[in-house]
Amino acid sequence: MYRNRTIEIAIKEAAESFPCIVIYGSRQVGKSTTVNHLFGKKYRKVTLDDGEKRALAKSSPRLFLETLGWPLIIDEIQKAPELLDEIKIIVDKKRLEWTENDEKQELMFILTGSNRFELQQGISDSLAGRCGVIEMASFSQVEKYDLTGHPFDPDINVLLKREREGAAHYISRSGIFHDIFVGGMPDIVLNKSKREIYFKSYIDTYIEKDVKKLIAEDSETTFRNFISLVALRTSSELHYDHLSGAVGIDVRTCRRWISILETAGIIYLLQPYMPNTSSRIIKAPKLYFMDTGLCAYLCKWPTSEMLENGVMCGAFFETYVVSELIKNFHAYNMDPKEYLYYYRDKDKKEIDLLYIKSGEVYPIEIKKSIMPGTKAARSFQVLKKYKMKIRPGLVIDSCEEIMPVNESAYYYPVFRIDRRESPKH
């Protein structure tokens, strides 16, 4: 059974605005399934996983496209970037015809890809201004439970209004850690695959198809160890020298491998907020896995109960919240890098998240406990020195309802992120 995705609206809007759309995302997050659901009845589809079709696309891209025509869905486009220049020529010719004949623009090509590392330069060079780009992640909690959601808004007045309007089923901290342990990969959520078997195959496939050609031939085992060590550092500051030393690689290789994971959508790097160039601000990004289930698998946590009570429980709870917010941004085709930051200075004053909107700052702390006390929001005061408008902040935790911490902060239930409501069906 098809599970509706929040991002469908953004895809449809891009389809009405551009002759070509590109949908990125890590492997097996549902790109092809969603595209087939939305366009499969009208559009012809070809996948470049097919060796013969891939060979033709690479050797004779013009013949390939002339043979298939359009409208056309091309899956795994990064495997034949040679097609991009030919698509540009076809799109430009057709746009000129539409303009001359005063005709409405149509969607000609839908391209999906699981490796932005290989594709991004080609898209920038060939299709800039001609295509809409959508980034897709694994299931958010709203999608896992087939519920109604909205763009997350940190304004407490908006959040209180939504709480009054929509009933939301409470999920306990143990329930949240079960969701963390399972993750959001569609095949696991929809019970198509067993978790352990799935993630083993996922890592093997990812390295075999996406990574091998990007690293040295003798580095596969080292890269596997690298991914596991990165997982153990989720929600931590990324220091390349420390990580490279632990893995046994040089810093340059470490930076490249982190870039491979980031552009593949496996991890997300949250940047520090630097309103000025103060030397007192920590400048290292924080690293988060985008799928907590994959992260838990790599860290070898055997059950959700052991994860909840283990030494990494706080790191996973924080990773869960941050990844849910990032998925929410992607679902509504918004760039999280324009809104989300973290704060830490050399005086060890730290705030987990800063949500910057319209020149205003919404500080957010993330705590796995229930209503952890006023100390949880103490660091919010450090922002006053920047003379920006500081709005009431949030302490996202395992509480049941929104409650004030003090006049400048509120407890906010983690299960209400992006407004969880009654099922759609």
Side-chain angles (χ1 to χ4, degrees):
M1 182 181 297
Y2 178 75
R3 180 67 58 87
N4 289 102
R5 305 298 299 267
T6 310
I7 203 168
E8 289 175 22
I9 295 174
I11 293 174
K12 290 175 182 177
E13 289 176 349
E16 293 175 355
S17 303
F18 295 94
C20 177
I21 58 175
V22 180
I23 302 175
Y24 288 122
S26 59
R27 284 194 169 275
Q28 300 175 33
V29 297
K31 300 182 299 297
S32 297
T33 302
T34 302
V35 167
N36 287 341
H37 174 74
L38 295 176
F39 304 100
K41 293 181 179 179
K42 180 181 177 182
Y43 284 59
R44 189 172 184 177
K45 180 185 175 183
V46 60
T47 176
L48 296 180
D49 278 333
D50 184 309
E52 291 185 1
K53 290 184 173 63
R54 183 171 65 250
L56 177 61
K58 293 179 72 67
S59 62
S60 303
R62 180 178 298 178
L63 177 61
F64 177 89
L65 292 170
E66 286 177 351
T67 301
L68 292 171
W70 62 271
L72 180 65
I73 299 168
I74 305 178
D75 200 16
E76 300 296 342
I77 182 66
Q78 78 277 354
K79 294 186 175 181
E82 295 85 355
L83 290 172
L84 298 177
D85 282 338
E86 289 301 322
I87 289 174
K88 171 183 178 293
I89 293 170
I90 294 171
V91 167
D92 284 351
K93 181 180 179 181
K94 197 63 187 175
R95 288 173 93 180
L96 184 59
E97 291 179 11
W98 288 328
T99 301
E100 290 177 346
N101 298 324
D102 196 24
E103 295 176 344
K104 184 180 179 182
Q105 176 177 274
E106 297 179 47
L107 178 62
M108 302 174 67
F109 297 99
I110 303 171
L111 315 177
T112 72
S114 58
N115 196 329
R116 190 172 59 186
F117 192 89
E118 295 179 285
L119 249 188
Q120 58 187 2
Q121 188 61 50
I123 295 294
S124 299
D125 292 345
S126 301
L127 296 178
R130 299 169 178 85
C131 71
V133 179
I134 305 286
E135 187 155 359
M136 194 168 177
S138 59
F139 279 158
S140 66
Q141 291 306 294
V142 160
E143 293 168 332
K144 282 178 72 171
Y145 291 103
D146 200 19
L147 306 174
T148 304
H150 288 276
F152 178 78
D153 191 321
D155 189 311
I156 190 59
N157 295 315
V158 173
L159 297 175
L160 286 168
K161 183 175 183 290
R162 288 180 177 176
E163 185 180 61
R164 290 190 295 267
E165 289 177 346
H169 178 66
Y170 174 65
I171 300 178
S172 67
R173 184 168 62 189
S174 293
I176 292 295
F177 271 91
H178 173 74
D179 285 337
I180 289 172
F181 184 75
V182 170
M185 289 298 188
D187 280 0
I188 299 178
V189 173
L190 300 177
N191 296 314
K192 294 181 180 179
S193 301
K194 291 187 176 181
R195 180 183 177 278
E196 298 295 313
I197 296 173
Y198 175 87
F199 280 130
K200 181 183 183 304
S201 174
Y202 185 89
I203 293 297
D204 290 343
T205 303
Y206 170 61
I207 290 175
E208 184 69 29
K209 292 191 174 182
D210 290 345
V211 174
K212 261 192 172 181
K213 53 193 163 189
L214 300 175
I215 63 176
E217 290 186 8
D218 60 349
S219 297
E220 181 180 332
T221 300
T222 306
F223 189 84
R224 288 177 182 271
N225 294 335
F226 175 78
I227 297 178
S228 295
L229 285 171
V230 171
L232 289 166
R233 286 163 170 76
T234 190
S235 85
S236 299
E237 290 173 13
L238 173 59
H239 296 285
Y240 293 98
D241 52 344
H242 297 170
L243 181 56
S244 61
V247 181
I249 56 178
D250 59 68
V251 172
R252 183 178 178 181
T253 300
C254 182
R255 287 182 178 274
R256 176 172 171 78
W257 287 5
I258 284 290
S259 179
I260 290 172
L261 292 178
E262 183 186 18
T263 54
I266 303 292
I267 63 172
Y268 181 87
L269 299 184
L270 181 69
Q271 298 299 321
Y273 183 63
M274 293 183 287
N276 52 48
T277 55
S278 171
S279 61
R280 300 205 59 77
I281 302 297
I282 300 295
K283 296 179 175 61
K286 288 183 75 173
L287 181 153
Y288 294 94
F289 256 68
M290 279 300 295
D291 190 85
T292 55
L294 175 61
C295 188
Y297 170 80
L298 290 167
C299 293
K300 296 181 170 56
W301 288 102
T303 66
S304 62
E305 293 80 12
M306 293 184 71
L307 177 58
E308 181 183 0
N309 296 303
V311 294
M312 292 188 70
C313 59
F316 269 90
F317 191 85
E318 182 177 330
T319 299
Y320 171 80
V321 171
V322 173
S323 64
E324 281 294 302
L325 291 174
I326 294 167
K327 289 177 183 180
N328 185 263
F329 277 105
H330 289 333
Y332 294 97
N333 202 22
M334 298 167 64
D335 185 357
K337 294 186 182 298
E338 295 181 5
Y339 298 87
L340 285 184
Y341 304 86
Y342 85 98
Y343 177 90
R344 188 176 183 219
D345 60 31
K346 294 183 179 179
D347 296 322
K348 297 185 178 180
K349 296 291 174 59
E350 183 172 358
I351 301 172
D352 292 330
L353 286 174
L354 297 181
Y355 192 118
I356 312 297
K357 185 178 76 166
S358 303
E360 299 177 338
V361 182
Y362 297 81
I364 299 173
E365 279 292 322
I366 303 167
K367 304 293 182 185
K368 71 180 189 301
S369 54
I370 300 174
M371 301 178 71
T374 57
K375 289 182 179 179
R378 181 182 295 172
S379 295
F380 293 176
Q381 303 303 315
V382 74
L383 299 174
K384 291 182 178 179
K385 63 185 177 183
Y386 295 112
K387 298 180 179 177
M388 296 180 68
K389 187 170 183 180
I390 312 300
R391 299 298 302 272
L394 302 175
V395 178
I396 298 178
D397 67 358
S398 301
C399 62
E400 295 186 37
E401 59 183 344
I402 300 173
M403 294 287 289
V405 179
N406 51 41
E407 61 183 15
S408 61
Y410 289 78
Y411 295 115
Y412 184 72
V414 64
F415 71 91
R416 291 201 70 99
I417 291 177
D418 57 26
R419 191 183 179 187
R420 206 161 299 168
E421 294 182 331
S422 303
K424 292 182 244 183
H425 308 295

